[in-house]
Amino acid sequence: MNGTGGYALPDLAYDYGALEPAISGEIMELHHGAHHAAYVRGANSTMEQLHEVRARGDYSALAGLERALAFNLSGHALHSIFWRNLSPEGGDRPDGELAAAIDEFFGSFDSFRAEMTAVTGTVQGSGWGVLAWEPVGGRLVVHQLHDHHANFAVTSTPLLVFDAWEHAFYLQYHNVKADYIERLWSIVDWSDVGRRFDAARAGRLVGLTEASGGE
Ligand code: MN
């Protein structure tokens, strides 16, 4: 064990075209095969460079590598969650304890949906809208991430993530991000979000290293 690499691009549980018409196959292929893959390469490369820093005892490049580490590792994790949050059979609303918790902390599902839509739609530059479990307060929260890793509370565990980067929608929706977000709601796999909710409350993080549906 030398602390290098080990991150891998996860397979999708569906074909690139399976989320059409909400998300085009062209976007999915580029988003997964090029963008997500680049974050995985970046995470591995940064780990290797950190290993070299350690071996040389020369820490002059450390600040930049630390930024690269947070950016690439968070990008890898967020996309791994994003693919599994979505499904061709998705849509509708959550049920069970997740639905009850959304009502408790946001007032209603419609209120939560409006907040999540707004937080995703108002990202300045690149970022994400995130529904997360915040264990210190024992509550659901919505975060607005900048890039992949800023403006996020270290306590929180992401449950549902909406990619608001232009690469996620521009080829299909051009500058109308609101239409893309509206369509995202039609493909949310609430069973996956509920599984993450159950695990997060039990202090576990699931669904980062395996194909959709596994533990
Ligand atoms: Mn993305």
Side-chain angles (χ1 to χ4, degrees), residues 31 35 39 79 128 148 163 165 167-168:
H31 200 172
H35 292 281
Y39 305 134
H79 286 88
W128 298 72
H148 296 315
D163 193 335
W165 284 55
H167 69 221

Side-chain angles (χ1 to χ4, degrees), residues 49-73:
Q49 291 175 74
L50 285 167
H51 177 62
E52 291 164 12
V53 160
R54 226 168 278 131
R56 288 197 310 270
D58 173 3
Y59 299 98
S60 57
L62 196 57
L65 288 172
E66 287 292 338
R67 277 194 296 278
L69 179 66
F71 177 84
N72 287 294
L73 203 46

Side-chain angles (χ1 to χ4, degrees), residues 155-170:
T155 54
S156 292
T157 299
L159 307 177
L160 172 65
V161 300
F162 280 179
D163 193 335
W165 284 55
E166 286 188 349
H167 69 221
F169 66 89
Y170 213 88

